[in-house]
């Protein structure tokens, strides 16, 4: 008699990954969160070290570059650039829609929602709560914050990024 042990493990062949979507799975790692925070701190250092740039302008530069980059990476670019074995399932989804397979309010999504809010509040504090800062920072903040809300999941406004 032969007893075969059935395994739920999938065999990894060549250079493909076992995960269906490696495009979004790296975000769940806590080390990514530390690296993300360090990258934003480095961005602030670079914005603040430019000659003839005030501290207020350095914070505003940091916030706007972060928010616009965040929008492009998470809400504008679609598909799976790492070429997972998803058979094109994620071709029409943005990076944000692929995180945790679309499940809302996971720890990863909470971090990526809360981080820009905290950065906005820190920047607002260091800029002295001025109305000018609010006018210059709010559009970029809202550009990346609104698409992260659950009611915007898989929605395309004004036909932008529809096809």
């Amino acid at each position: 008699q032969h007893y075969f042990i059935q395994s739920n493990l999938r065999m990894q062949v060549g250079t493909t990954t076992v995960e269906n979507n490696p495009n979004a799975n790296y975000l769940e790692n806590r080390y990514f969160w530390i690296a993300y925070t360090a990258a934003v701190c480095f961005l602030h250092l670079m914005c603040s070290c430019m000659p003839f740039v005030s501290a207020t302008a350095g914070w505003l530069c940091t916030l706007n570059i972060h928010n616009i980059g965040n929008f492009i990476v998470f809400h504008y670019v679609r598909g799976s650039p790492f070429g997972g074995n998803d058979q094109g399932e994620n071709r029409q989804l943005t990076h944000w829609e692929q995180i945790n397979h679309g499940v809302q309010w996971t720890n990863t999504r909470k971090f990526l929602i809360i981080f820009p809010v905290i950065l906005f509040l820190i920047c607002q504090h260091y800029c002295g709560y001025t109305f000018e800062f609010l006018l210059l920072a709010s559009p970029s903040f809202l550009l990346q914050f609104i698409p992260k809300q659950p009611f915007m999941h898989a929605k395309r406004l004004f036909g932008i990024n529809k096809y």
Side-chain angles (χ1 to χ4, degrees), residues 36-53:
Y36 184 83
T37 305
V40 171
C41 291
F42 182 74
L43 173 65
H44 176 64
L45 182 66
M46 291 294 104
C47 288
S48 296
C49 289
M50 289 190 287
F52 309 110
V53 173

Side-chain angles (χ1 to χ4, degrees), residues 74-133:
F74 287 115
H75 306 292
Y76 188 74
V77 176
R78 294 183 302 164
S80 182
F82 298 125
N85 56 357
D86 64 353
Q87 301 295 320
E89 294 171 1
N90 298 315
R91 187 178 309 129
Q92 297 299 322
L93 298 176
T94 63
H95 200 163
W96 181 258
E97 293 162 352
Q98 294 175 36
I99 298 172
N100 301 115
H101 306 289
V103 177
Q104 302 295 321
W105 302 117
T106 61
N107 288 336
T108 302
R109 286 180 182 254
K110 287 177 189 176
F111 171 78
L112 292 170
I113 289 172
I114 292 171
F115 189 91
V117 172
I118 292 172
L119 182 63
F120 180 80
L121 293 174
I122 289 171
C123 293
Q124 195 172 21
H125 173 74
Y126 281 106
C127 292
Y129 301 99
T130 61
F131 185 69
E132 293 82 16
F133 170 79

Side-chain angles (χ1 to χ4, degrees), residues 2-9:
H2 297 286
Y3 294 99
F4 294 102
I5 300 173
Q6 186 175 11
S7 174
N8 290 331
L9 298 175

